[in-house]
Amino acid sequence: MEKKRKRVFDNHSHIGPVPGFAYYGLPEAVKPTTDYDTTEQYIKGMDENGVDRAMVMSNYGFPDSAQPFTLNPLVAESAEADDRLLGAIWVSALPKDRERTEESLKMIGTKGLIALKTTCLLGGTFNPEEWDSEAAESWKMILDAGAEHDMPLHIHTSPGGGSDIDNAMALIRKFGKTNKIHVVHMGGGVSGHIKFVPRFFELVEEGYQVYTDSSWAVGFGSSWLLQEIEKRGIGRDRFLFGSDIPWSDFASEYWKIEGAPISDALKDDIFWNNGERLYSKFW
């Protein structure tokens, strides 16, 4: 992809090999068409897409909650190897992953590791009302670490399951004034966007530290949120560009922003300034 006119900070992308899996009972395994299995491959992809800085996190998707932890060392090595790369540490609130998460949190303070990443696609829920005592202890460990070190927590959201946007909202309303929480995929799917967009502004106005990106956003969702940001004059510092490569396509994610009917000033904030402001304390 030819480099565009703006500096680009990709705040949400994945690195490392992930096994294919026969999702939905398919006869053959499915995996992304382009994986970035090494630091060198990832940087080559950055250059091809015209990306100036990127945050990488463990590639996942295989239905085994232990798998993403195996890529935390690659994330750390990548952030150490090149100043253009930053990393998010993979954590899990599943009780069975407690020891893995404890080890992962010991990586805090390592050069370039500036955020935490988790999902409920592999089990559990974001809704604090549904946590048992073990899950509550695991979540406390993660959230306390994020708050202490001012590291945003990236949470996958989708319209259904433990990662449902309603569950994510419950997490934000309980912890979002002490923790920065980045809502990946702005709710996921049309129903998720419809639920999320009006609440996004409520949360910002009420003092919650909520952030989002438009990766995997569909239909009118991202344009709706972007135009509302300009109309209302709030939230412009809470929207960051994220490609979600290799699970999404860089060009389509880029043009959701570049092609949106919004000002160049807001585009500049999304593509570069917001990530620079949010994470500059780490460099």
Side-chain angles (χ1 to χ4, degrees), residues 36 49 51 77 87 105 109 127-128 135 138 149 161 163 186 190 206 213 216 223 227 246 276:
Y36 299 95
N49 290 321
V51 174
E77 291 166 10
L105 292 175
N127 188 349
S138 293
H149 299 281
S163 289
M186 48 180 290
V190 174
E206 292 169 15
D213 67 62
W216 278 59
S223 292
Q227 290 179 79
E276 179 84 356

Side-chain angles (χ1 to χ4, degrees), residues 203-221:
L203 292 168
V204 173
E205 289 179 321
E206 292 169 15
Y208 292 94
Q209 300 180 94
V210 59
Y211 297 81
T212 196
D213 67 62
S214 56
S215 63
W216 278 59
V218 296
F220 68 95

Side-chain angles (χ1 to χ4, degrees), residues 47-263:
D47 292 339
E48 290 171 349
N49 290 321
V51 174
D52 302 278
R53 178 179 291 153
M55 183 193 300
V56 297
M57 52 197 75
S58 296
N59 199 3
Y60 74 106
F62 187 74
D64 176 2
S65 66
Q67 178 268 324
F69 286 97
T70 67
L71 297 178
N72 271 338
L74 175 60
V75 171
E77 291 166 10
S78 298
E80 174 67 31
D82 195 306
D83 288 340
R84 295 169 65 192
L85 295 178
L86 304 161
I89 302 168
W90 185 274
V91 294
S92 167
L94 294 176
K96 66 179 180 178
D97 291 327
R98 184 177 178 88
E99 290 185 7
R100 297 185 184 98
T101 294
E102 288 174 340
E103 287 301 309
S104 296
L105 292 175
K106 292 177 183 178
M107 301 172 72
I108 292 175
T110 302
K111 175 182 178 291
L113 299 186
I114 62 175
L116 304 175
K117 165 71 176 183
T118 195
T119 185
C120 289
L121 281 180
L122 305 176
T125 177
F126 291 134
N127 188 349
E129 298 300 319
E130 298 179 11
W131 297 343
D132 61 21
S133 58
E134 287 187 301
E137 288 177 6
S138 293
W139 274 110
K140 184 178 188 304
M141 174 175 61
I142 292 167
L143 291 161
D144 284 353
E148 178 184 354
H149 299 281
D150 199 27
M151 300 174 77
L153 175 65
H154 287 232
I155 59 171
H156 170 91
T157 60
S158 54
S163 289
D164 185 271
I165 187 60
D166 288 329
N167 293 330
M169 289 294 181
L171 180 76
I172 294 166
R173 290 204 173 273
K174 190 170 182 65
F175 298 103
K177 290 190 176 180
T178 54
N179 287 82
K180 292 183 171 74
I181 300 178
H182 181 126
V183 179
V184 174
H185 309 316
M186 48 180 290
V190 174
S191 61
H193 304 333
I194 290 172
K195 290 180 178 182
F196 176 71
V197 171
R199 294 180 185 176
F200 169 79
F201 295 102
E202 292 175 4
L203 292 168
V204 173
E205 289 179 321
E206 292 169 15
Y208 292 94
Q209 300 180 94
V210 59
Y211 297 81
T212 196
D213 67 62
S214 56
S215 63
W216 278 59
V218 296
F220 68 95
S222 58
S223 292
W224 179 27
L225 179 52
L226 293 170
Q227 290 179 79
E228 287 294 314
I229 286 173
E230 289 209 307
K231 183 189 301 182
R232 300 182 188 216
I234 60 172
R236 67 180 300 129
D237 59 332
R238 306 299 183 88
F239 195 115
L240 295 89
F241 173 70
S243 72
D244 197 27
I245 56 173
W247 292 94
S248 191
D249 172 74
F250 185 89
S252 64
E253 299 297 349
Y254 178 91
W255 281 101
K256 279 180 196 174
I257 311 301
E258 185 64 82
I262 56 174
S263 67

